[in-house]
């Protein structure tokens, strides 16, 4: 059985105030039981059955188990059941923000999960949404700060707020047959890929899928490549967590590591998750040596080409980096939803909204001053007489 949050060994003056969370009670008007638990426990198989339909690796129990120790926030699964049948739920983490319980998606932050939502069994979406809304508007104050929400999400409908678009996730639809993928690429990009792949091949580089027994050494190479960049400190700080994620995903056959290597030296390492008919390209680490130019792009091409015929879609996940445009055939918006219930929570949300507006005004003013200064500088140069040697 799932472990209720009330049973956690938490000191009375700890960060989390259990009384402010939620009472475990029946949601009578929709005929569902609501449980707020720290772990899905014996309902894991049912949870994963619901999550599989989304195609998102970030809703699978192996991901959630691995990230549950990634921060001081405590896991808080909101589960909706009829008897012992799980009909819906959402994986959250709760901490205290300005004295108010704050709920975020479990794993939200540096690891940037996306396509997140409230799970629901087919045909039970309306009941699950109403039950979640009743929990959110129940006794006590609470904040929701949910980043990475899928557009059109059931959770947004339940709360009655759509959130703001904060990012996008490019994706590639794979047609039937192994020849369909190359046809999605522009002719110029295909030429550049062939040229780069030929150059790497002439240097002895080859692509291969990493077998499970070599995953630890491939992860070590992945982190070594990131450390050489000097701009990956935040992600490197989560190395132990991501290692747990990858090992758990590999164990259940839903995580793949690929490498391009030459003479035993990894030039690029990729991490991808495969759930249902969707392959999600999560991370690529590559060498910065000019001799290994485009190794990361060539590796992505090889991974996608391998996926053709096995998956219907390749998701490049959140972030609109330029290289993704070469592969993508579309993009999905990702939202951040902030909502509050109770006077203290609404006050916090109002203050934070005001601060965000102030920051935006300050940044806009600075940008405006910089633009005016640049124009004035050009005007002075244009007005100055030419000086000849």
């Amino acid at each position: 059985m799932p472990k209720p949050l009330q049973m956690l060994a938490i000191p009375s003056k700890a960060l989390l105030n259990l009384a402010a969370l939620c009472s475990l009670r029946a949601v009578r008007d929709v005929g569902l039981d609501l449980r707020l638990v720290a772990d899905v426990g014996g309902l894991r198989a049912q949870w994963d059955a619901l999550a599989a339909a989304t195609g998102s690796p970030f809703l699978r129990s192996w991901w959630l188990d691995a990230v549950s120790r990634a921060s001081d926030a405590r896991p808080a699964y909101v589960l909706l059941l009829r008897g012992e049948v799980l009909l819906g739920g959402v994986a959250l983490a709760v901490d205290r923000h300005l004295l108010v319980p704050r709920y975020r998606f479990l794993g939200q932050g540096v690891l940037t999960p996306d396509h997140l939502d409230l799970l629901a069994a087919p045909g039970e979406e309306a009941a699950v949404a109403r039950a979640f809304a009743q929990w959110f508007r129940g006794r006590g104050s609470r904040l929701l700060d949910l980043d990475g929400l899928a557009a059109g999400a059931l959770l947004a409908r339940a709360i009655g707020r759509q959130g703001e678009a904060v990012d996008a996730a490019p994706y590639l639809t794979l047609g039937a047959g192994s020849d369909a993928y190359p046809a999605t690429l522009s002719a110029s990009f295909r030429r550049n890929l062939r040229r780069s792949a030929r150059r790497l091949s002439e240097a002895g580089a080859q692509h291969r899928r990493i077998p499970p027994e070599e995953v630890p050494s491939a992860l070590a190479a992945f982190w070594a490549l990131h450390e050489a960049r000097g701009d990956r400190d935040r992600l490197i700080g989560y190395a132990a967590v991501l290692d747990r994620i990858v090992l758990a995903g590999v164990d259940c056959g839903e995580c793949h590591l690929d490498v391009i290597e030459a003479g035993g030296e990894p030039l690029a390492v990729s991490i991808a998750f495969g759930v249902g008919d969707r392959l999600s390209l999560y991370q690529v680490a590559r060498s910065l040596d000019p001799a290994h130019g485009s190794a990361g792009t060539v590796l992505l091409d090889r991974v996608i080409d391998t996926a053709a015929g096995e998956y219907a879609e390749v998701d490049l996940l959140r972030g609109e980096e330029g290289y993704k445009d070469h592969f993508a055939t579309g993009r999905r918006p990702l939202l951040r939803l902030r909502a509050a219930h109770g006077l203290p929570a609404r006050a916090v949300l109002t203050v934070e909204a005001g601060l965000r507006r102030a920051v935006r005004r300050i940044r806009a003013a600075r940008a405006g001053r910089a633009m005016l200064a640049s124009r004035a500088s050009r005007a002075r140069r244009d007005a100055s007489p030419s000086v000849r040697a």
Side-chain angles (χ1 to χ4, degrees):
M1 291 291 294
K3 181 170 59 178
L5 281 171
Q6 283 91 329
M7 297 177 65
L8 291 173
I10 305 174
S12 59
K13 294 184 179 180
L15 185 66
L16 183 60
N17 182 352
L18 294 176
L21 288 177
C22 175
S23 58
L24 305 189
R25 58 186 175 81
V27 186
R28 299 298 180 190
D29 65 332
V30 292
L32 300 182
D33 292 327
L34 186 148
R35 299 179 192 170
L36 187 68
V37 298
D39 186 274
V40 292
L43 298 174
R44 185 168 275 100
Q46 293 189 61
W47 175 277
D48 278 334
L50 296 179
T54 69
S56 173
F58 311 115
L59 296 172
R60 303 292 277 172
S61 62
W62 53 264
W63 168 279
L64 297 170
D65 289 344
V67 302
S68 63
R69 292 172 285 168
S71 72
D72 293 333
R74 297 179 180 276
Y77 290 81
V78 180
L79 305 181
L80 289 309
L81 302 97
R82 185 173 292 129
E84 290 302 312
V85 178
L86 181 65
L87 297 182
V90 60
L92 303 175
V94 59
D95 62 5
R96 237 169 152 63
H97 180 59
L98 299 178
L99 303 179
V100 176
R102 175 179 60 177
Y103 293 84
R104 292 177 288 180
F105 284 124
L106 187 54
Q108 179 177 317
V110 174
L111 296 173
T112 60
D114 57 30
H115 301 318
L116 304 173
D117 198 4
L118 173 66
L119 299 179
E124 300 287 351
E125 293 86 355
V128 167
R130 288 200 303 274
F132 181 84
Q134 286 187 27
W135 166 78
F136 174 64
R137 298 186 178 98
R139 187 170 64 244
S141 287
R142 56 189 59 85
L143 284 168
L144 290 181
D145 184 1
L146 306 174
D147 185 29
L149 194 69
L154 180 63
L155 194 151
R157 282 186 277 158
I159 298 301
R161 300 183 64 172
Q162 294 307 307
E164 58 178 330
V166 293
D167 214 334
Y171 67 91
L172 165 66
T173 300
L174 296 172
S178 58
D179 295 335
Y181 159 60
T184 66
L185 306 177
S186 69
S188 60
F189 185 55
R190 286 201 303 271
R191 285 194 299 271
N192 290 336
L193 271 175
R194 286 195 297 268
R195 192 177 302 121
S196 298
R198 184 168 56 249
R199 185 178 66 251
L200 289 168
S201 180
E202 289 170 353
Q206 294 183 324
H207 161 249
R208 68 185 181 97
R209 172 69 50 85
I210 299 297
E213 64 272 14
E214 294 183 31
V215 167
S217 60
L219 282 170
F222 172 86
W223 292 117
L225 290 168
H226 268 318
E227 287 168 357
R229 292 182 61 91
D231 61 352
R232 295 292 191 268
D233 289 349
R234 293 187 70 211
L235 180 63
I236 290 170
Y238 279 74
V241 179
L242 187 53
D243 285 356
R244 284 201 304 269
I245 290 168
V246 168
L247 292 172
V250 169
D251 283 346
C252 67
E254 293 187 346
C255 180
H256 313 297
L257 276 73
D258 289 75
V259 64
I260 284 183
E261 57 190 0
E265 177 189 1
L267 311 183
V269 180
S270 74
I271 298 172
F273 304 121
V275 176
D277 62 359
R278 180 189 296 173
L279 183 72
S280 299
L281 301 180
Y282 183 64
Q283 276 282 337
V284 176
R286 60 181 177 83
S287 168
L288 297 181
D289 188 330
H292 307 148
S294 300
T297 304
V298 172
L299 178 57
L300 287 177
D301 172 66
R302 294 293 184 262
V303 172
I304 296 172
D305 189 59
T306 302
E310 182 179 357
Y311 297 97
E313 178 186 294
V314 174
D315 198 322
L316 292 134
L317 300 179
R318 68 187 303 162
E320 297 190 83
E321 293 88 347
Y323 75 88
K324 295 182 180 180
D325 290 336
H326 296 300
F327 295 102
T329 57
R331 54 189 15 86
R332 300 184 183 92
L334 296 171
L335 311 178
R336 186 170 187 177
L337 187 152
R338 297 180 178 93
H341 173 71
L343 184 59
R346 289 196 295 270
V348 170
L349 204 62
T350 299
V351 169
E352 290 187 337
L355 289 174
R356 286 195 299 273
R357 287 193 296 269
V359 168
R360 285 196 293 268
R361 285 196 295 267
I362 291 170
R363 288 175 177 170
R366 286 176 177 173
R369 287 195 296 269
M371 183 176 65
L372 291 174
S374 176
R375 288 177 177 174
S377 177
R378 286 198 302 270
R380 285 194 296 272
R381 282 199 310 270
D382 293 342
S384 299
S386 299
V387 177
R388 296 181 180 272

